[in-house]
Every structure is written in structure tokens, then in C-alpha cells.
């Protein structure tokens, strides 16, 4: 909608803004590009490459197969999938009915429960780590999938999110359902849940990304590679390979970051919404 | 029989009294409208009748039987919501069959997957589908059955919502501002369609609206509500011609009734310089409000008949009729006069200056200081002439 | 459910629908409530109690020590140093990522065709596993092998070792922190920007505020107030919890200049199993986070009039 | 203050032409309403004049000044937006004085002018509040005050009443019209509501699909619509329409439609062919048919009592499927399923040819007695 005399101004403005945006984009992309370049570089060249971006010979095959064979990368990823799926399933089972109860049903303890949820929103997981760790240690449950998942079965954020989402769900539809003869459980199952698909998708993205990428808790409760999640595996892998094989290391890094990046590229909209639903967590 | 009886309903939200001892008797097959400004408690009454909200005290009877202890689904009432409240993820057919599914299948049969194992289920579902088809045909929405609510226009959604309430053959239809989400043209059309539907079904309708035109045009009787009470219950024409209260007079009718304040004297009511020969039962020297409908004023004052002096401030010409806005000469109080185009054209030149407006005292409505109607002699005679 | 004292006043209607609702409410809220108690409330109480003991994992004996852990903590050089480092880190990351995020959001917002591409690129780091990318950054900034250093060398700068230099290490970590947060903040600001009604800019145009700066200062910036507050608070809390990069890249080195709160807490609690002091630190950490959260709630209450 | 004009202004978005060669002159002090269904280009035209949208072709002028290439702020126009576009972070006073503060006026001057404008609209006591703390009607007045405080060359309104409820709309309508007359300021007013256009404007511009269909005084448009679109857009209830055919037979001109045979008495000049007959609801009256009147009867389907008047919908006898609405005085007791006999003066008839264009009717017969249209006593 440029006005005629302003056209040149706009052009200059757009050139300047592109310049800064590209500079920023370069900064953002630098590690990704270098990760990919190094992951296809022969080992001999890694140490001499300097700033030379183009590998002289192509060693992707060696590096990637090494990354997959020298460490149980696939095992880590499988662990990651299991852990994330387990966490998400329990979170949804708890949070959807809980959110509905807080949003649409009136019972005496409701304000107290909601108050606890709000309080929980401000408490980072690191605060509860010590006692939960001690309990798990005393129950001999360290180094299990259960231990990795346990603290996250409760997602106060999930309960809060679904409560907010259901709060804006028209009360009239629920009234109509009650008149039609739905029980409250059926309202959740047949009315509320189908309508909450976008919220569920967004929450799933949020939950999966944060637990796929989490390092702190797995680092505490697992010491073996058997149950290590991808970030922990990455750490173990790096400690084994200290300084010696950057090509394979970068290939490993590429492999464990790839799933989420691919999902992100394919389903950007849902992904962004899922992650930005909260800044706190 | 499904006559409906409300006795002494009261309800408060916190410290706000939304219903204040409301009693109402609705005849079987009647179209009764609850009308009032937002927050007057009219929608709450509907939800109490449906059992969606509990009353604090009082009782609801349908067909002579108290339903206070019944859950909403057991009361056999259907409700059409302002937002239509269609299930967004279900097709039109599914939406319409839902009340019947819930009535006729037990909990196990309703379960997803497992429910399909029941042999009874298929039989019941076929029966329901046939009934839904019948209703859909009546409402001319049979072509929409496979669509989702999001793919429908406002008017179509409205019909689906009606259909959903019709399939269960309820004793009472409760309608909560069902037309307020439609555009003006469609609203006028649906008004006629709804009254037509009421006539065909012959079932009790309780209709809630804030729009006095809907109340006037559709109902057998209208209950005008204010602050949780019924102010007046009567036929539309009763409310228009014989309002019992200033609030009713103001609410019903568009353009709004003109209210001028006057003082009672032995000879009549003095409004500014003018003396209107209206004798009321209250003592002289009292301040009263005189209500004059825009058609009770005229541009041709007959000599000897009462008139008031006013000056024209604005003309609103709607083509078919003209609203003339005046300011009363002494007090500046606004008056609206409704004239035909011909009358207006005829008097156009005269209107430039201050004019005398004829007042048809027989149609004047007098209200005392508390806003209650006060009857007057000239009025009583007129009453007979008012069409029912 | 209480038995109504005055049965005449309470109609049976209340009981039918309301009781069903209340019953369902309790049923649905119970799992959540149990988890809240077991995984949130009880642990916080336990952590607080632990902070008053000398409990060590695996030890049979323990005793109450009162506030000793707290007084020790306030005298502990390592703790104070990590607290200081954390604040420095926050002080770099928050302004850096918030301002850059805002600038990028405004620039991106005005692009038409390339908007989606830029948005994707800037958001990319948010989706990635920080550990893996920390390894890459470590390599990028490696004084011997890293391309950045060799580029600097080629441009005539002297050698530098970001993660080996006590004065640079926090800056280096902060750069990674900013790198990861800019895109996230950009998205939040973009959401704030799109929520500004176009009409306001039209009105500003007619009113005479049509220069880029006027539009920003008179419309955009005031309208972004609540968003900015939210972004600052979230970024502060996220930055406060810095752990991954430290654990992978520096492990507190060199000379403890990159010890941060959570890393120290991790070492004391989960490597040395000194549960008492670790619990005291946890409580300190919780207090900081709660202060920020309360400040936010307070400011929102005071300031957001629209 | 000055007039406004559009000269062959067009607006294209890609392939779509939203406004097509729009030409209009608004005289100094005149109130012109742009009316039409949504998407007809009325708002785009207004925005091009305001400088918020660039014209693809043509010139816009404020007074004698060509402003086509000027930025919005240099056009000296004030606008009230549909959403009011009040700055939520500023108080009512700051909102009203915003443009003045940009002009660099002194604090005292601004305060004084803001107060005067606010008092004029009866919101003087609300100046310290923020938009969020104001009701819809109050916001709308703040938006108007923001315009008058600038003493602009002209006012532009973009559906300013559409966010108000029906009652408030009625009073706001009168208020704006009065204010405009007392300030004597040139005004261009966009609305989709024909009642607003009819009651407020000196002249109405009816638009459809980016083009002007008719320009004229409200009464011109109401009584002499140029085509079917104009005829049905204005007036509520809408004009009754009856498709049929005009035939010349036996020296008479007749309108035929299914079982209906209306004799158009007098000498009407009208070519034979397919036509649509139009009749406003108020033209149908309870008078016996006579010379120069045509009779229409039917069975009542639905009655709406509005108090002062009654709307009667009836199925027209002889024209199956056609339902007409008659608007009659409130005193008439009429019930559904009863027969009605009505008539209409010939002068109240409208005819439209197959393309929808109005056919001019000239009644050259005996003088049309005004008694024809007298309201029954």
C-alpha cells in the first residue's frame, strides 16, 4: 500500500531490514550448517579445515555409520520415544478430566485445587528433584524408565492449559449435552475431547519437545546407557569420543536433533503454538 | 398435558438477586415470551425450568407434576440456545440424533467400539435415523445431514438446533434468544417460520428475547421482566396499549413512547403551558408522567382540542413513514411524532416555525411518581375501542 | 455435601443436578490432586525439612541441624560465586534476547514474501536439543579447530579461547543462551504485534503519526507492554535455570567462573549427595523464582489497564 | 471545511476490481452516505479518500486540492472507525487530544480544546477514563470527539454505529446528524444499514459490486429506484415483487401473472414484455379498488402486531407461491387464514424490465387524485 512518493523510501527500508535479518539468520544457522558440514567431512580434514566450508571429500557414510555403531544411538532414541510417549499418555489422562472439572463443574474443593495448580506453575522441576530422587533411590527404582518419567506424570501446566481451553468452550453446548442425557464422563469423552484436538496437539508438541530435550533429570536418575535419553546419550557419546572424532560426533548430534526439526518443518504452525503456549516451562 | 407452572421462584448469585419470587402459569400449547433488558433474569428462568441451574426456592411443575427433583434429561423439555450449541465435531444427522441415542441406548451400548457389539444398537440406530430424516424433511434440511455445523450458514444452524429439539417430542420448547445471531433480514423471516412451527406442533413454547419486536409479533402472551420480577404479563396488544408500569411503556414500542412530565390540577394535567383535559384519580398538585405514543401526536391540531407547543429538531424520513423529532417549547423535552409521508409533505412548510401538536388525550397514559399506571376517565372509554 | 439446614428453602432440584456435578468434579480432579500432593507439595515440604538436617544419601544416621545449612551456604564461596555468575548470565541473556527478539519480530513482521522463511530460521534453535547444539558450539568456538577462531585469525585478530578464558566464558555461554531464545521471543512478540488492531495504525496515520518512529513509539511499543513484560519474565526464569550448556561445555571451568546455581546444586546434591546443603540451595532457588513470578503478577495487576 | 470529490477512482487487488471508476462530488457542508451490501466497495472508497489505501487509478480531491499523492495526515480529514480505534493505553482526553499533540500545540490549548469537544458530546466527565472503562456508546462519542477537536476539512465515518445495540443506535443516529448540521461540516458516511442512510444523509450513494448504482436524495432512491437492486435494498419490510408480463390488448395495458390480471388504467406508457411488478408494503391499503387503483387480495398467512402498525403477510390470490407484505395501521384486527382485500394506487406501482432496470411509468390519464392515497379515517 505504498504511496507513490514513498516508494523509494520503502525500497531502501526493505534493503536495510533484509540486511539485518540475513545477518541474524546467519548467526542462527551457523551451528546447524557447521554441524552438517562437519558430519560429512573426513576425520583427517576436521582438524585442518579452519573456516573452509566445503569438504574436499565426502565422508558422510563413515561418520554416520560410526555414530550409529560406536554408541547405542538408536537405543537412546528408542528410550526417548518410550519416555515421551509414557509421559504424554499419563499427562493427558490426568489433565483432561482435571481441566474439565476445574473449568466446568462446581464442587467445593475446586478453588483449592486450582490454587495448587497455579502455585505449581511457578515451581520448576529442579525444586522437587531431591526428594523424588531420594524416594526413588530408597525404592531401588533408579535406572528405570519409570524413574525418568515419574516427576513429569504431573503437568500442572497441562491441567492449567486444558482448564483455560475448556473455560472458553461454550457452556451452552454442555447444557445441551446434559439435556440430551449425556453423563459427565461421556461429555468428556464425546464432546470435550474431540473439540480439544488442537489443544491436545499443541500440548503434545510442548510435552514431547521438553522431555525429548531434557537433560537434568535423566542425568540424575540414570547412570547406564540402557535407559539414557537422547541428550544424555549425546553426553555419554561425547565423553567417549573426546576430541578424537568430530565427524561422528556431529553426525550423532545431527541424528538426535533431526526428528524434532523435521516435525517442526512439516508442522510449523502446531509446533510453534505448542511451544509458545508457555514461556515458563 | 404439558401446562407449566412456576411458583415463587427465587435465585441469587452471590448477593445479586436474579429471580425474585417469580410465579407464572403457562397454558398447554401457548407461545409465551419472556422479554426484558439483559440481566433481568429471563434466561435464568429458562435454565431453571430445564434443570440446568437450581433455584434457591420455589418450584417448577410440568403437566401438573413437580420436576424439581429431576435431572435435566428427565424433564422432557428441549432447549434451543442462542449460540445453537451444536456439537461442533458431529454431523448434522449426529447432532439431531443425539437426544434419541441418549434416551434409547444404555450406557454400555453408547460406548465407542464396544457399543457396536450390541445387536440392539443397530436396530435402535436405524429407527433413530428414520425419525431424524422425518424431522429434517419438515425443516427442509435433509440435504445438509452429512455436513458439520461449521459448514452451515447461521440460518441453517438455527434449523438444525430446532431439529435437534424437535426429534425428542418434548412437552415444552425453551428458546433462549434463538434469533439474535441472525442478520436482520433473516431474523424477520425466521420470526414467521417459528410462529408457523409453533402452530403446527401445538406444543408449549417459552421464548426468551430482549427484542420487543420479537415479543410483540410472535407471542400469545408476553411477560415483561425487570430486575428478577415479572412487571406485566399480558397479550402483546395489552402491553402496548395498556402498560401497567412506566418500564413496560418504555420498553415496548419503537420509536420509544414519549414521556413528558406534568402536574395534576383540578381540570386536568398541566404540561408546560398546555392543559390536557385528563382527569385522574390522584389529588391535585402531584407530578405525574404522561406517556404519549408517537402516533398519539398529530400535526393537525383541531381547534379546541388539546395541543402542545414544540419546535422541530430533526426529521427522519424512512420513506414509508416519517419520524419527526420535536423539543417541547418550555422544557425542551424530546418528542417523537410518527407521520405518514403525505402528512409530512402537507405540513412541511409550517414545520419551520414552532408548531402546535395535537394530543389525543384518549390515548395518553398517565403514570404516578412511582411509575405505576393511573387510570383516567377519557382512557376508560377508549379501552373498548382498542383492538384485542 | 452438607445436609441443608433448612430443607424447605433448598429445593430438591439443587440436589439432583448439583450433586451429580459435584460428584463428577471430585472424581475427575482426584488423579490430578493425588499427583499434585505426591509430586509437588510433599517434595517441597520434604526439601524444606531436609534443609534443616545433615542427611546424606545412604547414611543411616542424621540429625536436625537447624539453620546451619543456610548459614553455611551464605558463607560458601562456591555458592556465592555461582549465584553471582548466574546473575551475570541473566543480565546478559535477558536484555540481549529480548531486544533482539523484538527487533527481529518487527523486521520480520514487515516482510511479506520472506516472512515465513525468516520465522522458520529464527525459531529453529528452539526446537533443537540444546545438548547437541552445545557440542556444536563448543566445537565452533574451539581455539584450535573451530572455524570461528580460524576466521578471526584470518581477519587478523589474536587467538582467543572463549570457554577457556575466565573473563569470556560467561559471555560465551550467554551467546548460546541468546542464540536459543531469540526465536522464541520473536514469536511471542510477533503474536503481540498481530494482536494490535490495524485500525489503530490507520487512526495514527490520519492523526499524523505516520513515520516509522512515531508509529513505533506511539502505537506499537505501548501496545506491546503486556507482551514485553511476559517475555522479560519468561526469559528471566529460563535464563536463571541455565544448566545444559554448563554441564556439557565448561563444567564450571575455568576457575569456577562458569559455576551457575543449578550446576552447583547438581554437584552438591547428586554427585556428593550432601542433601542438607543441596536442599538449602533448592529453597534459595525456589525463592528467586517465586520472587520473579510474584513481581510479574504484581506488575500485571498494576499496569495492564487494557 | 471544504467539499470532497472522487474522479474515476478505481481500486484493484490483483485481478479483482473492488471499486470501479467511482466518481462523486460532495458539496461543502453536505452529508453523503455510501450504502450497500458488504463487499460492495464502500469502505474501500472511503479509505482511498482518507489516504489509508492507494487508489489504483483516478484522483481524489479535498476542496480544490488534489490529495491523491499526499499521505493521510496531510489530507486534513478526520475519521471515525467501526471499531472506534481508540488507543487503549491512553485516557479519553489523551485519545481526543492525540492528533493535536502531534501537531505540537501547547498543553493548555490542547486541554481547552479537548474539554470543549468532550462537553459538546456530553462526555466531559469521562475524560480521565481509559477506553476499557467506557461503555460502547461512550467509546463511540470519544471517537467522534477525537474528530471534531481537529476541526478537519471533512468527517469520514466507517459504520460508526454497527457496534451499538438497537436502542442506542437510534439515539446516536440523531446525535451525529444534529452535530453534523450544527457544525456544518462536510461528511462522508459509510454504512450497510439503509435506515441510517435514509434518515441521516442529504444524499445517498448506493453501491454494489464496486460500482455506483444510484445517487440521489433518500426520497429519490426510495420512490424512484433505478433498478430492482435499489428497490429491494431500501425499505423494510422490502418491496413486494411479482414477476409477470405486460401486454397491450384492447387498447389497454395489462399486467398478467399466473391467474392475476391487473388492468393498468389510464394511459400508461409501457412496452410489452416480461417485467417484475414492485409494490411497497405501505402502498397496499384497505381501500376499495377504484379508478386508478389496482386490487390485490389473498389469504393471510402471518400477522405481526407492532403496536402502532401491523405487518400482514398474505398469499396473493392468483399468484401461487407469492407472499406479499402489507403495512397497515395498528388498529386493524386481522387474523391468520382469513381473506384480505387490499388495493394500491397505480402511482405507487414500480415496474422493472427483464434486466432489472426500472421502467418509467407515465400516467397521463385523469389526474391522480390525491384522495387515492388518503389514510382511512
Amino acid at each position: 500500500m505504498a504511496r507513490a512518493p514513498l516508494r523509494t523510501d520503502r525500497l531502501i527500508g526493505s534493503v536495510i531490514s533484509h540486511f539485518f535479518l540475513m545477518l541474524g539468520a546467519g548467526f542462527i544457522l551457523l551451528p546447524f550448517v557447521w554441524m552438517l558440514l562437519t558430519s560429512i567431512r573426513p576425520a583427517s580434514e576436521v582438524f585442518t579445515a579452519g573456516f573452509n566450508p566445503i569438504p574436499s571429500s565426502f565422508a558422510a557414510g563413515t561418520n554416520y555409520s560410526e555414530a550409529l555403531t560406536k554408541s547405542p544411538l538408536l537405543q537412546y532414541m528408542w528410550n526417548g520415544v518410550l519416555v515421551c510417549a509414557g509421559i504424554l499418555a499419563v499427562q493427558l489422562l490426568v489433565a483432561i478430566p482435571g481441566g474439565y472439572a476445574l473449568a466446568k463443574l462446581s464442587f467445593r474443593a475446586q478453588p483449592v485445587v486450582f490454587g495448587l495448580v497455579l502455585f505449581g506453575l511457578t515451581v520448576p522441576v529442579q525444586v522437587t528433584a531431591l526428594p523424588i530422587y531420594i524416594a526413588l533411590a530408597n525404592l531401588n527404582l533408579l535406572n528405570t524408565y519409570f524413574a525418568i518419567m515419574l516427576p513429569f506424570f504431573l503437568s500442572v501446566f497441562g491441567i492449567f492449559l486444558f482448564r483455560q481451553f475448556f473455560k472458553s468452550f461454550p457452556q451452552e453446548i454442555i447444557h445441551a449435552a446434559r439435556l440430551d442425557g449425556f453423563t459427565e464422563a461421556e461429555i468428556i469423552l464425546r464432546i470435550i475431547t474431540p473439540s480439544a484436538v488442537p489443544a491436545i496437539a499443541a500440548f503434545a508438541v510442548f510435552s514431547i519437545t521438553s522431555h525429548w530435550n531434557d537433560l537434568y533429570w535423566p542425568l540424575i536418575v540414570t547412570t547406564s546407557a540402557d535407559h539414557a535419553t537422547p541428550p544424555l546419550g549425546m553426553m555419554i557419546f561425547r565423553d567417549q569420543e573426546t576430541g578424537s572424532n568430530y565427524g561422528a560426533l556431529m553426525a550423532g548430534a545431527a541424528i538426535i536433533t533431526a526428528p524434532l526439526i523435521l516435525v517442526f518443518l512439516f508442522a510449523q504452525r502446531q509446533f510453534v503454538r505448542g511451544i509458545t503456549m508457555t514461556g515458563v516451562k | 398435558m404439558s401446562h407449566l407452572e412456576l411458583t415463587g421462584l427465587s435465585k441469587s448469585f452471590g448477593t445479586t438477586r436474579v429471580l425474585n419470587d417469580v410465579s407464572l402459569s403457562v397454558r398447554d400449547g401457548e407461545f409465551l415470551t419472556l422479554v426484558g433488558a439483559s440481566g433481568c433474569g429471563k434466561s435464568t428462568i429458562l435454565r431453571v425450568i430445564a434443570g440446568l441451574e437450581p433455584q434457591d426456592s420455589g418450584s417448577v411443575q410440568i403437566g401438573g407434576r413437580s420436576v424439581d427433583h429431576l435431572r435435566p434429561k428427565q424433564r422432557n423439555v428441549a432447549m434451543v440456545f442462542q449460540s445453537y450449541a451444536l456439537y461442533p465435531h458431529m454431523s448434522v444427522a449426529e447432532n439431531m440424533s443425539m437426544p434419541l441415542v441418549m434416551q434409547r441406548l444404555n450406557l454400555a451400548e453408547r460406548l465407542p467400539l464396544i457399543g457396536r457389539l450390541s445387536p440392539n444398537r443397530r436396530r435402535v440406530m436405524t429407527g433413530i435415523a428414520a425419525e431424524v430424516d422425518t424431522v429434517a424433511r419438515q425443516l427442509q434440511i435433509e440435504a445438509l445431514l452429512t455436513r458439520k455445523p461449521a459448514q452451515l450458514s447461521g440460518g441453517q444452524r438455527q434449523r438444525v438446533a430446532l431439529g435437534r429439539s424437535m426429534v425428542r417430542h418434548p412437552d415444552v420448547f425453551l428458546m433462549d434468544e434463538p434469533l439474535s445471531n441472525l442478520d436482520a433480514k433473516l431474523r424477520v423471516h425466521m420470526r414467521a417460520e417459528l410462529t408457523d412451527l409453533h402452530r403446527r406442533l401445538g406444543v408449549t413454547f417459552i421464548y426468551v428475547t430482549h427484542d420487543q419486536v420479537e415479543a410483540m409479533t410472535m407471542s400469545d402472551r408476553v411477560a415483561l421482566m425487570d430486575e428478577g420480577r415479572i412487571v406485566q404479563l399480558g397479550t402483546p396488544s395489552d402491553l402496548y396499549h395498556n402498560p401497567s408500569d412506566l418500564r413496560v411503556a418504555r420498553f415496548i414500542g419503537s420509536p420509544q413512547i414519549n414521556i413528558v412530565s406534568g402536574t395534576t390540577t383540578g381540570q386536568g394535567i398541566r404540561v408546560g403551558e398546555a392543559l390536557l383535559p385528563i382527569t385522574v384519580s390522584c389529588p391535585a398538585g402531584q407530578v405525574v408522567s404522561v406517556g404519549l405514543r408517537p402516533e398519539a401526536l398529530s400535526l393537525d391540531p383541531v381547534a379546541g382540542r388539546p395541543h402542545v407547543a414544540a419546535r422541530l429538531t430533526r426529521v427522519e424520513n424512512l420513506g414509508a413513514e416519517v419520524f419527526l423529532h420535536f423539543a417541547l417549547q418550555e422544557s425542551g423535552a424530546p418528542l417523537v411524532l410518527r407521520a405518514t409521508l403525505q402528512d409530512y409533505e402537507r405540513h412541511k412548510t409550517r414545520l419551520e416555525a414552532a408548531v402546535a401538536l395535537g394530543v389525543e388525550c384518549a390515548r395518553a397514559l398517565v403514570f404516578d411518581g412511582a411509575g405505576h399506571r393511573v387510570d383516567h376517565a377519557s382512557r376508560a372509554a377508549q379501552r373498548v375501542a382498542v383492538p384485542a | 455435601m452438607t445436609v441443608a439446614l433448612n430443607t424447605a428453602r433448598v429445593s430438591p432440584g439443587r440436589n439432583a443436578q448439583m450433586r451429580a456435578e459435584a460428584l463428577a468434579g471430585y472424581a475427575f480432579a482426584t488423579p490430578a490432586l493425588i499427583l499434585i500432593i505426591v509430586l509437588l507439595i510433599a517434595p517441597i515440604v520434604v526439601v524444606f525439612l531436609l534443609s534443616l538436617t545433615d542427611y546424606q544419601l545412604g547414611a543411616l544416621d542424621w540429625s536436625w541441624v537447624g539453620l546451619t545449612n543456610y548459614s553455611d551456604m551464605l558463607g560458601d564461596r562456591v555458592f556465592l560465586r555461582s549465584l553471582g555468575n548466574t546473575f551475570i548470565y541473566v543480565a546478559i541473556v535477558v536484555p540481549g534476547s529480548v531486544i533482539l527478539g523484538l527487533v527481529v519480530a518487527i523486521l520480520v513482521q514487515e516482510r511479506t514474501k520472506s516472512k515465513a522463511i525468516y520465522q522458520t530460521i529464527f525459531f529453529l534453535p528452539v526446537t533443537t536439543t540444546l545438548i547437541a547444539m552445545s557440542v556444536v558450539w563448543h566445537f565452533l568456538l574451539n581455539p584450535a579447530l573451530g572455524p570461528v577462531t580460524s576466521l578471526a585469525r584470518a581477519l587478523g585478530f589474536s587467538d582467543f579461547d572463549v570457554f577457556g578464558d575466565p573473563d569470556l566464558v560467561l559471555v560465551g555461554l550467554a551467546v548460546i543462551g541468546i542464540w536459543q531464545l531469540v526465536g522464541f521471543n520473536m514469536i511471542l512478540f510477533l503474536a503481540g504485534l498481530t494482536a494490535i488492531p490495524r485500525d489503530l495504525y490507520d487512526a495514527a496515520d490520519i492523526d499524523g503519526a505516520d513515520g516509522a518512529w512515531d508509529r513505533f513509539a506511539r502505537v506499537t511499543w505501548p501496545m506491546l507492554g503486556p507482551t514485553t513484560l511476559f517475555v522479560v519474565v519468561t526469559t528471566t526464569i529460563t535464563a536463571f535455570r541455565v544448566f545444559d550448556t554448563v554441564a556439557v561445555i565448561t563444567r564450571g571451568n575455568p576457575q569456577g567462573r562458569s559455576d551457575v546455581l543449578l550446576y552447583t546444586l547438581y554437584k552438591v546434591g547428586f554427585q556428593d549427595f550432601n542433601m542438607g546443603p543441596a536442599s538449602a540451595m533448592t529453597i534459595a532457588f525456589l525463592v528467586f523464582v517465586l520472587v520473579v513470578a510474584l513481581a510479574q503478577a504484581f506488575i500485571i495487576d498494576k499496569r495492564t489497564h487494557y | 471545511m471544504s467539499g470532497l470529490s472522487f474522479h474515476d477512482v478505481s481500486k484493484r487487488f490483483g485481478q479483482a476490481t473492488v471499486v470501479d471508476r467511482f466518481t462523486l462530488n460532495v458539496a461543502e457542508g453536505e452529508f453523503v452516505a455510501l450504502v450497500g451490501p458488504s463487499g460492495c466497495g464502500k469502505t474501500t472508497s472511503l479509505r482511498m479518500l482518507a489516504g489509508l489505501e492507494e487508489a489504483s487509478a483516478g484522483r481524489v480531491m479535498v476542496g480544490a486540492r488534489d490529495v491523491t499523492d499526499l499521505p493521510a495526515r496531510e489530507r486534513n480529514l478526520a475519521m471515525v472507525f467501526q471499531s472506534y480505534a481508540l488507543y487503549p493505553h491512553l485516557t479519553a482526553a489523551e485519545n481526543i487530544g492525540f492528533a493535536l499533540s502531534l501537531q505540537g500545540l501547547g498543553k493548555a490549548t490542547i486541554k481547552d480544546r479537548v474539554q470543549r469537544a468532550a462537553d459538546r458530546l456530553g462526555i466531559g466527565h469521562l475524560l480521565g477514563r481509559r477506553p476499557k472503562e467506557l461503555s460502547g456508546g461512550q467509546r463511540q462519542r470519544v471517537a467522534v470527539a477525537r474528530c471534531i477537536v481537529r476541526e478537519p476539512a471533512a468527517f469520514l465515518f466507517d459504520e460508526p454505529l454497527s457496534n451499538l445495540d438497537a436502542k442506542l443506535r437510534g439515539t446516536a443516529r440523531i446525535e451525529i446528524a444534529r452535530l453534523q448540521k450544527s457544525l456544518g461540516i462536510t461528511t462522508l458516511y459509510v454504512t450497510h444499514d439503509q435506515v441510517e442512510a435514509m434518515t441521516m444523509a442529504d444524499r445517498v450513494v448506493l453501491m454494489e459490486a464496486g460500482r455506483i448504482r444510484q445517487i440521489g436524495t433518500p426520497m429519490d432512491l426510495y420512490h424512484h429506484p433505478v433498478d430492482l437492486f435499489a428497490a429491494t435494498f431500501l425499505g423494510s419490510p422490502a418491496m413486494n415483487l411479482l414477476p409477470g408480463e405486460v401486454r397491450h390488448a384492447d387498447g389497454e395495458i395489462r399486467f398478467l401473472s399466473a391467474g392475476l390480471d391487473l388492468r393498468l388504467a389510464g394511459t400508461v406508457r409501457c412496452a410489452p414484455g416480461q417485467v417484475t411488478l414492485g409494490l411497497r408494503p405501505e402502498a397496499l391499503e384497505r381501500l376499495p379498488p377504484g379508478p386508478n387503483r389496482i386490487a390485490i387480495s389473498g389469504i393471510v398467512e402471518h400477522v405481526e402486531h407492532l403496536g402502532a402498525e401491523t405487518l400482514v403477510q398474505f398469499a396473493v390470490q392468483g399468484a401461487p407461491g407469492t407472499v406479499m407484505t402489507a403495512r397497515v395501521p395498528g388498529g386493524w384486527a386481522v387474523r391468520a387464514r382469513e381473506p384480505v382485500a387490499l388495493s394500491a394506487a397505480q402511482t405507487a406501482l414500480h415496474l422493472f424490465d427483464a434486466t432489472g432496470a426500472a421502467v418509467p411509468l407515465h400516467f397521463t390519464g385523469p389526474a391522480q387524485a390525491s384522495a387515492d392515497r388518503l389514510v382511512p379515517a
Side-chain angles (χ1 to χ4, degrees), chain B residues 51-52 54-58 68-72 75, chain C residues 8-18 20-21:
Chain B
L52 295 165
Q55 65 270 36
D56 293 342
S57 62
D68 293 329
H69 59 287
L70 295 179
R71 299 277 300 275
R75 300 190 177 194
Chain C
R9 250 187 59 76
V10 177
S11 71
R14 152 160 257 140
N15 295 341
Q17 176 59 27
M18 296 310 260
E21 260 185 57

Side-chain angles (χ1 to χ4, degrees), chain D residues 221-301:
Chain D
L221 267 72
Y222 191 82
H223 295 293
H224 308 290
V226 293
D227 57 15
L228 264 175
F229 175 77
T232 48
F233 191 85
L234 294 168
S236 170
M239 182 186 277
N240 297 301
L241 298 177
L242 187 58
E245 193 187 346
V246 165
R247 263 194 218 151
H248 293 206
D250 315 330
E252 277 186 328
I253 297 179
R254 288 177 158 192
F255 172 83
L256 297 147
S257 169
L260 205 65
D261 182 355
L262 301 178
R263 189 175 304 165
L264 302 181
T267 321
V268 179
R269 259 191 279 134
C270 176
Q274 293 296 321
V275 293
T276 303
L277 180 133
L279 208 46
R280 297 236 177 246
E282 65 273 14
L284 287 160
E285 295 168 292
R286 276 175 80 201
L287 288 177
N292 305 321
R293 291 188 73 83
I294 58 165
I296 290 187
S297 58
I299 304 293
V300 176
E301 287 206 330

Side-chain angles (χ1 to χ4, degrees), chain B residues 72-227:
Chain B
K73 61 177 171 184
Q74 299 162 323
R75 300 190 177 194
N76 202 26
V77 298
M79 191 151 167
V80 177
F81 295 87
Q82 181 171 13
S83 62
Y84 317 134
L86 300 177
Y87 306 122
H89 55 286
M90 296 184 192
S91 69
V92 167
E94 285 171 302
N95 262 289
M96 286 175 60
S97 42
M98 221 21 87
L100 297 182
V101 169
M102 291 292 154
Q103 262 174 19
R104 296 181 193 173
L105 293 180
N106 63 31
L107 193 59
E109 288 166 338
R110 298 205 298 256
L111 285 176
L113 301 175
I114 305 166
R116 287 181 196 279
L117 300 176
S118 157
N120 181 40
R121 181 180 154 121
R122 162 166 297 185
R123 199 168 43 78
V124 172
M125 292 304 276
T126 329
I128 292 175
E131 287 177 53
V132 166
D133 272 348
T134 315
V135 172
R137 255 199 309 279
Q138 279 176 19
L139 291 167
Q140 296 165 345
I141 49 172
E142 63 267 43
L144 309 175
L145 285 174
T146 53
R147 299 221 198 140
K148 293 270 173 72
Q151 299 163 301
L152 302 177
S153 71
Q156 292 169 333
R157 278 180 221 185
Q158 222 269 337
R159 279 164 204 245
V160 175
L162 278 176
R164 183 172 66 178
S165 54
M166 282 163 64
V167 290
R168 48 190 298 191
H169 301 292
D171 292 334
V172 181
F173 275 91
L174 305 173
M175 309 216 166
D176 191 2
E177 310 232 6
L179 304 186
S180 63
N181 282 338
L182 302 179
D183 68 39
K185 287 229 159 106
L186 199 54
R187 200 151 53 214
V188 174
H189 176 72
M190 284 308 292
R191 243 159 44 195
E193 210 162 286
L194 271 182
T195 33
D196 193 46
L197 183 72
H198 170 250
R199 203 166 50 221
R200 273 191 287 142
L201 296 175
V203 179
T204 313
F205 272 43
I206 302 192
Y207 186 98
V208 159
T209 180
H210 66 274
D211 181 349
Q212 56 101 14
V213 178
E214 282 176 28
M216 294 283 286
T217 54
M218 300 171 73
S219 349
D220 296 326
R221 282 193 302 160
V222 178
L224 190 136
M225 295 192 61
D226 189 42
E227 293 181 342

